[in-house]
Amino acid sequence: IAGITQAPTSQILAAGRRMTLRCTQDMRHNAMYWYRQDLGLGLRLIHYSNTAGTTGKGEVPDGYSVSRANTDDFPLTLASAVPSQTSVYFCASEAGLAGGYTGELFFGEGSRLTVL
Amino acid sequence: GQNIDQPTEMTATEGAIVQINCTYQTSGFNGLFWYQQHAGEAPTFLSYNVLDGLEEKGRFSSFLSRSKGYSYLLLKELQMKDSASYLCAVLDSNYQLIWGAGTKLIIKP
């Protein structure tokens, strides 16, 4: 693994189903983020984690939950998917803490989710 | 509210120069970033400005005026591989990135 890995890369699921998007990084970055990207809109922050064991809500957290049990993994869960959650989801990380929250993010390749 | 504006789409010719503008209104300012995103791929970091002026990096340059809430990304000697979306983002007072919707740049031969 080099950088950030997301899985799955693409998924179609029925409304009401539970879904977890996985994100793993091997850069030992402290801060991790989940964004969604929709056509015509900027990247919108769903949840973030400044360090292992802590999480915070972003701009559009409703319907999503995250956990950060260790430095490397930051899964995003949709408890009961709805069609409005159809989007491309990007996981990102940055060094943070001693390295400062610089805004220079490293992104995963994205997970394209379609909710029918 | 916080707002970042940039043109939706621009077209330019291979070998030419193009300037992509970005204006912002945010709660605080801790830097402005430009990212490049090819279709179907992840955004990648291009440049960072925190002080007024021009930062040059090869064919790409980025300019910032904090008093005007304005930045631009200048791409010289355009190549077909520069066809991509260019995202402007501002790091606000809470050290959160606020993103523009992106400018899709189309390069024609």
Side-chain angles (χ1 to χ4, degrees):
Chain A
I1 298 177
I4 297 183
T5 302
Q6 290 184 231
T9 55
S10 180
Q11 182 75 46
I12 300 173
L13 75 161
R17 296 296 294 270
R18 180 183 180 89
M19 178 72 195
T20 295
L21 304 180
R22 301 183 298 278
C23 176
T24 300
Q25 54 108 353
D26 66 353
M27 297 176 284
R28 306 303 293 173
H29 283 173
N30 286 296
M32 296 187 75
Y33 307 88
W34 273 106
Y35 287 95
R36 61 177 290 172
Q37 188 175 41
D38 302 289
L39 197 63
L41 299 177
L43 287 163
R44 292 183 292 170
L45 183 64
I46 304 170
H47 285 286
Y48 66 92
S49 169
N50 287 334
T51 189
T54 69
T55 62
K57 294 181 179 180
E59 180 186 355
V60 288
D62 294 343
Y64 306 95
S65 64
V66 292
S67 61
R68 187 87 183 278
N70 56 61
T71 298
D72 298 343
D73 301 301
F74 191 44
L76 175 74
T77 297
L78 290 68
S80 179
V82 295
S84 62
Q85 292 178 310
T86 294
S87 187
V88 180
Y89 293 85
F90 285 101
C91 181
S93 73
E94 67 172 328
L97 290 182
Y101 296 104
T102 63
E104 182 178 348
L105 305 186
F106 295 82
F107 285 85
E109 290 303 310
S111 297
R112 183 175 296 275
L113 188 64
T114 302
V115 183
L116 301 176
Chain B
Q2 307 202 88
N3 194 49
I4 297 188
D5 288 317
Q6 49 182 133
T8 302
E9 186 174 296
M10 299 181 69
T11 301
T13 304
E14 189 177 16
I17 299 173
V18 70
Q19 177 175 310
I20 302 173
N21 296 324
C22 171
T23 58
Y24 63 89
Q25 290 179 307
T26 57
S27 56
F29 179 86
N30 283 298
L32 186 141
F33 299 80
W34 287 95
Y35 280 76
Q36 181 189 58
Q37 185 178 24
H38 286 101
E41 298 183 8
T44 56
F45 170 80
L46 276 181
S47 69
Y48 165 62
N49 295 70
V50 66
L51 300 176
D52 290 351
L54 189 69
E55 295 281 341
E56 297 186 78
K57 190 185 294 185
R59 295 189 297 113
F60 292 9
S61 303
S62 55
F63 172 82
L64 174 66
S65 169
R66 289 172 296 171
S67 63
K68 296 182 179 178
Y70 168 71
S71 172
Y72 67 73
L73 180 68
L74 191 72
L75 291 74
K76 303 177 184 176
E77 301 170 15
L78 286 170
Q79 302 175 10
M80 297 304 293
K81 68 178 181 180
D82 298 329
S83 292
S85 289
Y86 292 86
L87 315 181
C88 176
V90 171
L91 198 62
D92 72 7
S93 57
N94 295 318
Y95 288 90
Q96 294 287 352
L97 275 174
I98 309 300
W99 296 84
T103 298
K104 182 179 181 180
L105 178 62
I106 299 168
I107 309 297
K108 295 185 175 181

